[in-house]
Amino acid sequence: MLPKVKIPTTAVSFYSALHLKLFPSILHCSSFHHTHKHGTSTPSSPSSPFTKQAFTSLLQSSSSQSHQLKQIHALLLTSGLSIKNSLITQLLSSLTLLGDMTYARLLFDEMHKPRSFLWNTLIKGYVKNDLSIEATSVYQIMRGVGVRPDPFTFPFVLKACSQVDDLCAGQEVHAHVIKFGLDFDAIVRTELMLMYAKVGELCSADYLFETMSERDLVAWNALISVYVQTGNAGKALGMFHGMVLAGIKPDSVTVVSALSACANLGCLETGKQIDQFVIKENLNSNLFVNNARLDMYAKCGSIETARCLFDKMPQRNVISWSTMIGGYAMNGDSDKSLHLFSLMQNAGVQPNHVTYLGVLSACGHVGLVREGQSYFKEMIKSNDCNVQPRLEHYACMVDLLGRSGHLDEAYNFIKSMPIEPDVGVWGALLGSCTIHKNIKLGQHVSDILFNLSPEISSYHVLLSNIYAAAGRWVDVENVRRKMRKKGVKKVVAYSAVEANGEVHVFHGGDRTHPLSSNIYEVLAELIKQITSIGYVPNITEALHDVQMEEKEATLSTHSEKLAIAFGLINVRPPFPIRIMKNLRICNDCHTFVKLTSKVTNREIIMRDKNRFHYFKDGSCSCKDFW
Ligand code: ZN
Ligand code: ZN
């Protein structure tokens, strides 16, 4: 008797082709010969020559193509073996691995009372194929029909919740975890922790971690890496230190995350210490670790150390090359960046879209318009879809054209784009309108931006800058009112500075630092000194800054100014003061830092959102083009 399973039409249509295509392979299958000869097979249909073992090996050998799996399904149904749960399970996992979730779901829906294992397989399949909404809805159905979730169900359901950034759903699942007594299961708890960290509930993530009965390397690594990926580099580094203190030895996964946190925050000293650990523990033969070291040195302003490391690396891949090319670009060294790109091509390493982003920004930082255009054409001509220009490359080209003064060309370039331009692309043009004080185009672009993304404050700020520069204060006030009315949120500006192995983060007008009064004294003295050699605060930006960018801050207490004053007190010469700012440095601060480097005779290295600025003897490496 055939099992109570409806034959899906897709499966039937394959049936005729099936015998021709699959039968020979079954005949050659050793397990088939063996069981047939000795009569030990147990097919549920006496007429079927197929055995469970034969199917198993078929499934294993055909896991690369979806249509083959469908043929096997048809064969299973007609042979009567589909009642074997293990075979159906195997088929289901093979389908999910191939990403054929539609057929997998069809197969699942035909099953009679599937057990939790099969539910888990389906949920996992959806998560692995980035179909998180479907995963959580299957979980709801599973709960609805009364199937008890087990320790293998929750990790994937929680992954689905964090993929869609759904804290409420995550909290509901957390309640179920507690209800089923699984909140101390190490894997479930780690996944809960990661879910909270990913959706930004850091306190809950920390609490779960602190109250974990056994904090092993996996749990530490998971949390450190998620903190770095979600932009909480400071927390990631704090955890890294905590891990070492707790006597857990970091492995290559840990050091990659920790180095990436240092790169994000620009913490060279901490990065160097981790690098020493890497060498001591012989982790420097690992390509991923070496790429992370390279990235750390390049992003912390030690481009020459990065180059030495790059030259010595036993193995390099496209990431290594792209990191160096992008690193030189950030440093404004377009010659070295472009030279390295040609070396890469000579070495036969295929560039990807990340490599080209470095190449285009190298051109952008020094205004190499023709060169940039020719590299861009190279990308378009490429047959490799991994090289085809994406939105960020278009934004880079608009920036290159616009900042070099070709505003109309930049506008036409956007208009001719084959993909829909986003806020990044239009934002690049608005930035150029600010530099070249083009009010008419600036207004037009702002209107487009306000419609595209009313919640992003920086564009409103840019437009008000254009008006301020032209002395149109009524318009400045209008933009401000519009922002208030729409409840526009600002990106909070901050600057980080490292001293004596610790990272200190300052916001504009910050008075929370223990050394605050000292910092403000030094700052006041500094302003007095630079004023005597010609410093005049840049009023045009001051006006918007006072009201908007850093709310409580006045121009004289922008975060980078506070960080520099702190650095002057705490970083001893001849070491340079290294500042990392999350936004672009404003005109006034740029002048301030130049003059500070002169009166204090200190070297100040600053990484802003776009590039490095090396201040020395009153001038900057960007030659005021940034
Ligand atoms: Zn500033
Ligand atoms: Zn500069």
Side-chain angles (χ1 to χ4, degrees):
M1 198 186 96
L2 280 170
K4 260 176 68 183
V5 176
K6 271 194 287 173
I7 301 178
T9 43
T10 28
V12 176
S13 64
F14 281 105
Y15 186 63
S16 52
L18 190 72
H19 275 87
L20 288 171
K21 277 192 183 166
L22 291 179
F23 208 71
S25 57
I26 291 184
L27 288 177
H28 287 108
C29 169
S30 62
S31 61
F32 170 74
H33 285 296
H34 174 78
T35 51
H36 191 70
K37 236 188 283 171
H38 299 281
T40 49
S41 68
T42 53
S44 49
S45 166
S47 61
S48 169
F50 306 115
T51 65
K52 192 183 161 192
Q53 289 92 327
F55 272 111
T56 305
S57 39
L58 248 187
L59 273 168
Q60 279 160 0
S61 63
S62 338
S63 57
S64 58
Q65 287 199 332
S66 180
H67 74 272
Q68 286 179 328
L69 292 176
K70 288 172 188 169
Q71 292 175 349
I72 297 169
H73 183 205
L75 201 54
L76 265 175
L77 292 168
T78 51
S79 69
L81 271 169
S82 62
I83 200 158
K84 292 275 177 209
N85 232 332
S86 61
L87 287 177
I88 290 292
T89 305
Q90 230 176 311
L91 185 62
L92 186 70
S93 356
S94 302
L95 283 164
T96 61
L97 280 178
L98 278 181
D100 192 343
M101 290 310 297
T102 313
Y103 202 87
R105 183 60 182 267
L106 198 65
L107 181 67
F108 182 84
D109 286 344
E110 298 298 335
M111 286 173 190
H112 183 61
K113 287 197 177 168
R115 292 193 185 174
S116 64
F117 180 75
L118 284 162
W119 287 94
N120 294 349
T121 307
L122 189 67
I123 293 171
K124 180 176 159 186
Y126 276 129
V127 173
K128 294 253 169 194
N129 288 291
D130 290 328
L131 295 163
S132 301
I133 305 273
E134 284 80 355
T136 48
S137 93
V138 168
Y139 172 70
Q140 297 295 353
I141 300 169
M142 176 185 184
R143 300 258 306 130
V145 296
V147 178
R148 192 187 164 94
D150 59 28
F152 301 102
T153 316
F154 289 116
F156 287 101
V157 180
L158 288 164
K159 268 198 178 74
C161 296
S162 45
Q163 269 176 14
V164 289
D165 234 4
D166 192 341
L167 176 63
C168 286
Q171 282 169 327
E172 198 185 324
V173 177
H174 190 178
H176 299 165
V177 167
I178 296 169
K179 185 179 161 193
F180 291 104
L182 290 168
D183 49 330
F184 279 92
D185 178 288
I187 296 170
V188 175
R189 201 176 180 87
T190 302
E191 214 52 65
L192 266 172
M193 211 164 74
L194 294 183
M195 182 274 294
Y196 281 118
K198 275 188 190 150
V199 300
E201 280 284 312
L202 306 191
C203 292
S204 305
D206 282 346
Y207 175 77
L208 285 171
F209 186 73
E210 296 299 333
T211 52
M212 226 171 161
S213 48
E214 261 180 71
R215 280 180 273 173
D216 59 1
L217 184 65
V218 178
W220 283 98
N221 276 353
L223 205 55
I224 291 174
S225 113
V226 81
Y227 277 143
V228 180
Q229 285 160 24
T230 50
N232 293 292
K235 269 202 89 91
L237 272 188
M239 284 210 63
F240 178 75
H241 289 306
M243 174 180 180
V244 176
L245 284 177
I248 307 228
K249 198 167 160 186
D251 66 355
S252 54
V253 178
T254 334
V255 297
V256 167
S257 303
L259 284 167
S260 149
C262 292
N264 282 336
L265 284 174
C267 303
L268 183 63
E269 291 313 313
T270 313
K272 274 185 189 165
Q273 284 168 19
I274 298 171
D275 195 26
Q276 279 160 10
F277 174 85
V278 165
I279 296 164
K280 200 178 108 214
E281 296 298 323
N282 279 327
L283 294 169
N284 53 346
S285 56
N286 180 318
L287 179 61
F288 294 102
V289 172
N290 283 342
N291 280 343
R293 294 165 73 202
L294 205 60
D295 186 51
M296 184 276 290
Y297 281 116
K299 291 215 177 104
C300 289
S302 263
I303 193 74
E304 291 316 318
T305 315
R307 183 55 189 264
C308 285
L309 183 63
F310 177 82
D311 289 339
K312 278 191 226 148
M313 270 165 73
Q315 212 191 338
R316 291 178 209 127
N317 63 4
V318 62
I319 298 172
S320 334
W321 287 92
S322 305
T323 305
M324 269 325 289
I325 291 168
Y328 276 128
M330 271 198 97
N331 277 274
D333 198 337
S334 55
D335 287 347
K336 283 195 179 141
S337 180
L338 299 178
H339 178 63
L340 206 60
F341 181 61
S342 65
L343 288 183
M344 174 185 184
Q345 287 178 310
N346 290 343
V349 181
Q350 194 61 36
N352 63 17
H353 62 102
V354 182
T355 328
Y356 274 103
L357 202 57
V359 169
L360 293 180
S361 66
C363 297
H365 287 317
V366 284
L368 296 173
V369 178
R370 297 290 153 243
E371 288 81 351
Q373 281 172 325
S374 114
Y375 287 119
F376 192 77
K377 273 189 199 134
E378 216 172 275
M379 292 182 77
I380 291 175
K381 266 194 235 151
S382 162
N383 289 323
D384 187 348
C385 64
N386 212 7
V387 174
Q388 284 303 307
R390 304 176 183 203
L391 283 165
E392 55 267 41
H393 300 96
Y394 283 98
C396 223
M397 283 307 289
V398 171
D399 191 60
L400 171 59
L401 291 167
R403 285 203 297 144
S404 311
H406 307 281
L407 287 173
D408 291 335
E409 206 178 324
Y411 181 76
N412 292 334
F413 178 80
I414 299 181
K415 282 292 176 191
S416 68
M417 276 172 64
I419 42 175
E420 198 61 41
D422 69 344
V423 287
V425 176
W426 286 113
L429 185 55
L430 184 58
S432 303
C433 292
T434 319
I435 295 170
H436 297 287
K437 302 187 172 58
N438 187 327
I439 297 180
K440 201 168 160 238
L441 187 59
Q443 260 175 329
H444 175 61
V445 176
S446 299
D447 284 340
I448 297 171
L449 279 164
F450 292 160
N451 286 330
L452 270 179
S453 195
E455 74 287 352
I456 299 179
S457 68
S458 51
Y459 304 127
H460 301 254
V461 174
L462 276 179
L463 181 65
S464 85
N465 273 357
I466 300 180
Y467 287 136
R472 288 168 58 167
W473 309 116
V474 179
D475 291 316
V476 171
E477 182 50 38
N478 281 341
V479 176
R480 227 183 279 165
R481 197 175 304 128
K482 206 165 163 183
M483 282 178 76
R484 278 197 296 267
K485 212 167 120 193
K486 288 200 178 178
V488 173
K489 283 187 200 132
K490 298 178 288 92
V491 177
V492 180
Y494 68 83
S495 295
V497 53
E498 193 184 37
N500 312 318
E502 260 185 75
V503 187
H504 300 259
V505 178
F506 293 91
H507 293 99
D510 209 333
R511 286 187 183 268
T512 55
H513 197 278
L515 290 176
S516 205
S517 59
N518 206 348
I519 292 168
Y520 277 83
E521 265 170 42
V522 169
L523 187 58
E525 178 57 31
L526 203 53
I527 291 176
K528 217 194 261 174
Q529 283 184 38
I530 60 172
T531 305
S532 73
I533 58 162
Y535 169 71
V536 181
N538 190 331
I539 301 294
T540 53
E541 289 193 10
L543 275 164
H544 92 260
D545 281 326
V546 171
Q547 298 287 337
M548 297 180 194
E549 193 187 20
E550 294 175 355
K551 224 170 183 172
E552 268 96 64
T554 61
L555 185 66
S556 65
T557 58
H558 273 186
S559 60
E560 54 267 59
K561 290 185 176 113
L562 296 176
I564 286 170
F566 174 85
L568 284 170
I569 304 168
N570 291 287
V571 180
R572 274 193 222 120
F575 294 106
I577 299 165
R578 293 168 186 276
I579 313 281
M580 193 286 297
K581 190 180 183 190
N582 68 330
L583 301 177
R584 272 180 72 175
I585 180 171
C586 78
N587 275 322
D588 182 69
C589 286
H590 199 265
T591 311
F592 169 91
V593 189
K594 279 199 294 187
L595 297 174
T596 299
S597 74
K598 189 170 181 154
V599 297
T600 60
N601 200 18
R602 295 291 298 264
E603 210 179 312
I604 299 166
I605 301 174
M606 181 169 204
R607 188 182 99 202
D608 74 0
K609 195 170 164 254
N610 280 16
R611 60 165 298 149
F612 276 101
H613 301 264
Y614 293 87
F615 297 95
K616 203 180 169 185
D617 298 331
S619 59
C620 179
S621 63
C622 75
K623 301 187 180 77
D624 302 335
F625 185 78
W626 81 95

